[in-house]
Structures are given as C-alpha cells and as structure tokens.
Amino acid sequence: MTKLKWGMIGGGEGSQIGPAHRLGALADGRFEFAAGALDHRAEVGREYGQRLGIAADRAYGDWQEMLEGEKNRDDRIDLVTVATPNSTHFEITKAFLEAGFNVLCEKPMTMTVEEGEEIVRVAEKSGKICAVNYCYSAYPMVRQARAMVRAGELGKVRLVVTNFSHGHHGDATDADNPRVRWRYDPAMAGVSGQFADCGIHAMHMAGFIADDEVETLSADFASTIPSRELEDDAMVNFRMTGGTVGRLWTSSVAIGRQHGFDIQVFGETGGLRWASEQPNQLIYTPVGGRTQIIEKGEGGLHEDAQRLSRVSIAHPEGFPLAVANIYCDLADAISGEIRDGLPNAADGVRSMAAVHTAVASAKENGAWMDARPSIFK
C-alpha cells in the first residue's frame, strides 16, 4: 500500500496536541510525515521539522510558505492538519481547501458561525475533505455505543446527560499563568471560554451517539474566578430534533476531577454509559435486566468498533489511538471509502452555532434559543 503524504501546521515542540497528531497519523502506516510549518518562529519550526525527519526543503517557516511550496509539487501532501491557535483556523483551512488539499482542522473549526458556513461552502465547492478533530468520537466503544443506538438496542433515545469537567484551572493563584489566562481572554479565545474549549466536545458526542442534532438550547454561564472575563463553568440544557432531552455540564474549576469527560444515554429499552478515563468499557443496562460491561476487543461488537480496535481485549488503547482512528477514517476517505463517523465541516459549524447561541442565552438569563446555523435551518 502506497502511503499518503501528510503535513502539519502548528503542533510544534512543547505543543499539547502536536504529539497526539504525530502519533496518530503515523500509527497505522497509512501516512508519511512529508511537510510541516510547525512553529510561529520560522527557524525554530524548520529546525524542529528536520529533527522529526522532514526534508529540509519541506520544513517550512510559516503556513503561507508551505502552501506555496506544496501546491505545485507532483508529490504534494494528500492531507494537512491545522493545529494552530483558534483564531487562525479559518484563514488557513480555507486557503488549503481552495488550493485543493484535504484538511483536518483542530476544534473549534472557526471563531464565528459565518466563517464556519463559509468553510462548509468552500469544502463542497472544492470537492475536498474538511474534517474536524472531535477525536473522542473515534474511540472504539463510542463507535459501539452509536451503532447500538442506530440498531435500536436502546429503543428511542429519551435523554442524554454529558459533562466535560475538570479542576485544572481551579487555582485562583495560578489564574495569570499565560497557559491558563488566554483561555478566558476574549481577545484570544473568542466569545466563550470553557464551553468552547471542552463543552463542545461533550455536545458533539451527544449528537454523535444519539444520531441526532441539537435544535434549541438554554445556557447558564459563570466566571467563578473574578479576574476571568469568560466563563469557567457552564450548564447547558438542550433539545434535539428528534425530541431527545439533553443536559450538559462543563467546568474547569471542578477540583478533584481529572479529565472528567463522560456521557450517559437513556432510551426506552436500555441505557449506556461511557467515560474517557475508562475508554475500553461501555456500561449497558437493558430495561429490567442486569448491568453489563462491554469490553473493547470482545466478540460480537458492531463492525465499526471491531475495525478501530488494534490490540486484544484488556489491553488499553488511549487518546493517541483515538486520534489515530480519525486518521484511519481520513485515509479511507481520501482513498474513496467514506466513513460516516468522520467529523466534518458541518459538525464544526454546528458546534460554533451552539457556542454563540449558548453565549447569547446566558446573557438572557437562560432563554431558550435556536442553536442551528442558518445553513441548516
């Protein structure tokens, strides 16, 4: 099998997300790391890229240089990952799509709904893939949960309860740490802090497993540390188009919680629970029956869960391999086999619409509002 060529923008040395992308992209031998503009400091980025094995002429100083360098090559990259600060996602993603490249963009895909809708249109016009890295949806047991819902094993879904709440920004004495402060600064983070950072992962997961879309929502935001302009805690109630009720809590001041991402789905004939800190297990309770633990790697799983499991039962597969599953689905899609679990630009703009709607709702004391982007109304 000929390897696809992959490039990365951002995710340089010391980056939080960069290593997960490099591990994920290369895990299954589907991609080779061919090009990169890895740091906002041109020479630092070039040097780091070459240390990672990129040829000197493809270790670029910035994304514009990379676009110019790659677009006319016979061996140009097949996929570029955008892992830069949030405010740059739109410009870079749009430019590479228009030049005929497939793109994987970190979340949030854009800063505004209008930008997100533009990305949807550009991707459709270009005929290229624009994926968004909602990688938690690629854990095998999350795919199992979605498949069980689709197969009717829970009956009609009545209720989804999800949260993504940690306590790592709960120390008020550390609030001025630059790695923390920017997340609550509108000039850098946009209109929302914690909900845009973590809450949209939980909201995307709710729609992904329930196989439905958020239609309306009501939000309550709080900044529990007074120096923060943006929220560090949020409660969002929502309704989905199929009638499912949703409850979402997200926080960065829940001291004692670590990663804190989990979801429960309750249907007419059964319930499911999945937690990111125990990702190999899916807890299932049929109505009137005993609670069961479904293990990654066991027999009888749905096809998508089997396909994305690499090692045998009881051996953990963690976050980098969930990212790797996104790259597996991308490699298949680029090769012509579309995977409908791959998060795309439509998911990205729905998330951005939810963020802006939640902000507006919180300002109106939790008023219920339409959370759909205009292109999907």
Side-chain angles (χ1 to χ4, degrees):
M1 182 184 296
T2 302
K3 290 185 179 183
L4 298 168
K5 291 179 171 57
W6 171 61
M8 187 174 192
I9 302 169
E13 192 164 20
S15 157
Q16 181 181 13
I17 198 64
H21 278 287
R22 288 187 284 276
L23 288 166
L26 305 179
D28 297 287
R30 305 289 298 275
F31 291 94
E32 63 174 283
F33 194 10
L38 303 180
D39 200 289
H40 67 280
R41 299 161 295 181
E43 290 308 315
V44 172
R46 290 192 183 100
E47 189 273 333
Y48 186 52
Q50 290 176 66
R51 271 197 281 137
L52 292 175
I54 298 174
D57 66 330
R58 301 181 83 172
Y60 300 102
D62 56 44
W63 71 265
Q64 294 95 336
E65 182 184 8
M66 181 169 164
L67 179 60
E68 287 301 311
E70 290 294 314
K71 67 182 183 181
N72 295 318
R73 293 183 68 108
D74 292 334
D75 62 345
R76 64 189 243 162
I77 54 175
D78 299 289
L79 172 70
V80 60
T81 293
V82 179
T84 54
N86 297 353
S87 61
T88 66
H89 289 178
F90 170 71
E91 180 183 18
I92 299 171
T93 297
K94 182 173 184 284
F96 274 83
L97 285 171
E98 289 177 333
F101 292 91
N102 299 300
V103 178
L104 171 60
C105 185
E106 264 301 328
K107 45 67 58 182
M109 183 177 75
T110 60
M111 297 290 279
T112 69
V113 179
E114 293 75 19
E115 288 175 348
E117 292 178 335
E118 177 68 8
I119 292 296
V120 171
R121 287 189 288 266
V122 170
E124 289 176 349
K125 183 178 179 180
S126 71
K128 294 299 176 179
I129 297 163
C130 181
V132 183
N133 192 34
Y134 288 114
C135 55
Y136 298 102
S137 67
Y139 275 101
M141 300 316 290
V142 171
R143 295 293 179 92
Q144 172 70 14
R146 185 192 202 206
M148 290 176 68
V149 169
R150 285 184 160 185
E153 294 176 45
L154 273 66
K156 178 177 171 55
V157 176
R158 293 168 169 164
L159 174 66
V160 177
V161 180
T162 184
N163 73 84
F164 198 157
S165 302
H166 64 83
H168 300 298
H169 300 164
D171 183 358
T173 65
D174 193 45
D176 284 334
N177 180 337
R179 285 182 172 269
V180 174
R181 187 179 63 235
W182 75 268
R183 298 175 185 273
Y184 307 97
D185 179 355
M188 300 183 72
V191 297
S192 171
Q194 177 63 15
F195 184 63
D197 189 22
C198 294
I200 57 173
H201 272 299
M203 184 160 280
H204 173 265
M205 184 74 85
F208 184 83
I209 294 179
D211 202 25
D212 204 349
E213 303 293 345
V214 174
E215 185 171 37
T216 60
L217 63 76
S218 165
D220 178 35
F221 283 8
S223 299
T224 66
I225 293 180
S227 62
R228 292 175 176 163
E229 292 186 60
L230 298 176
E231 85 285 352
D232 54 22
D233 187 275
M235 182 67 74
V236 180
N237 293 311
F238 57 92
R239 299 290 189 275
M240 307 185 93
T241 56
T244 299
V245 175
R247 314 289 190 202
L248 185 156
W249 173 49
T250 186
S251 182
S252 62
V253 295
I255 295 171
R257 291 180 66 94
Q258 297 303 319
H259 193 251
F261 184 17
D262 58 57
I263 185 166
Q264 295 173 274
V265 181
F266 304 103
E268 293 174 330
T269 61
L272 293 172
R273 180 182 184 274
W274 179 85
S276 66
E277 292 176 35
Q278 294 85 35
N280 290 345
Q281 297 181 334
L282 182 65
I283 311 302
Y284 169 54
T285 307
V287 64
R290 293 178 176 176
T291 296
Q292 306 167 28
I293 300 176
I294 304 173
E295 294 276 358
K296 181 200 68 65
E298 71 179 36
L301 298 180
H302 285 276
E303 188 276 335
D304 226 21
Q306 294 182 45
R307 178 177 64 86
L308 296 174
S309 298
R310 290 171 182 76
V311 295
S312 60
I313 190 168
H315 291 83
E317 292 185 33
F319 180 76
L321 290 184
V323 177
N325 288 340
I326 293 289
Y327 281 95
C328 281
D329 281 355
L330 275 165
D332 287 344
I334 292 168
S335 301
E337 186 176 0
I338 300 299
R339 301 292 187 180
D340 80 338
L342 182 64
N344 59 25
D347 296 301
V349 72
R350 287 183 190 278
S351 294
M352 216 59 243
V355 167
H356 283 266
T357 305
V359 170
S361 171
K363 289 179 179 178
E364 295 295 326
N365 296 316
W368 282 90
M369 296 183 176
D370 193 323
R372 297 169 295 173
S374 61
I375 60 171
F376 296 134
K377 290 182 180 178

